[in-house]
Amino acid sequence: MTTRTILFDSPFLLGFDHTRALIDRAAKAAAESYPPYNVEQRGEAAVRISLAVAGFAPEELAITLEGRQLTIAGKRDDAGKGEQAFLHRGIAARGFVRSFVLADGLEVAEARLEHGLLHVDLIRPAQERQIRRIPITTG
């Protein structure tokens, strides 16, 4: 039994099954190593994910957001490239799927391919703090 399981089984943390699933997904995603990436804090309310995708054209890349999971995939179109004879091949040509679990409130602002790097900018729009009073009924 792991510490994480013990933590989420606490009676003080009710309804956090979704959070446990997100942590498990994030742990699996962290085990992947291709393509390399950076996550950069850009001010108070912005984050940038940059992936090294040299050799991929924009039409060979796809970015999807399902719930809180951001998925970036690359699929190379290698048709007609079989005639190449490499003396050394150090630039990876394989496809990939890289997933990130986003915190609540983070939104994808923009994605841009620049100099072999795919930049995905995320923002956290300012939200008004809401306080809700809960009525108490009597029996």
Side-chain angles (χ1 to χ4, degrees), residues 1 6 15-16 24 31 56 61 67-68 83 86 91 93 98-99 104-105 115 122-123 130 137:
M1 191 177 286
I6 293 170
F16 282 88
D24 289 342
F56 283 88
L61 298 167
R68 302 294 354 144
E83 308 88 39
F86 291 97
I91 299 173
R98 169 73 72 180
S99 295
D104 286 337
H115 306 293
L122 309 170
I123 58 168
Q130 296 180 355
T137 59

Side-chain angles (χ1 to χ4, degrees), residues 20-110:
R20 181 191 310 190
L22 288 175
I23 290 172
D24 289 342
R25 264 194 273 167
K28 286 179 189 174
E32 300 170 7
S33 64
Y34 177 77
Y37 68 94
N38 291 335
V39 178
E40 174 186 356
Q41 184 73 42
R42 297 175 60 89
E44 291 282 324
V47 174
R48 172 178 275 179
I49 300 170
S50 297
L51 284 87
V53 293
F56 283 88
E59 59 273 5
E60 296 172 326
L61 298 167
I63 302 172
T64 57
L65 182 62
E66 181 179 346
R68 302 294 354 144
Q69 183 162 330
L70 176 71
T71 302
I72 303 169
K75 184 175 182 197
R76 296 290 300 265
D77 181 18
D78 289 333
K81 296 184 182 177
E83 308 88 39
Q84 294 175 323
F86 291 97
L87 298 178
H88 172 76
R89 188 166 190 166
I91 299 173
R94 66 184 184 269
F96 67 89
V97 175
R98 169 73 72 180
S99 295
F100 300 89
V101 179
L102 304 184
D104 286 337
L106 274 180
E107 297 176 5
V108 178
E110 152 180 62

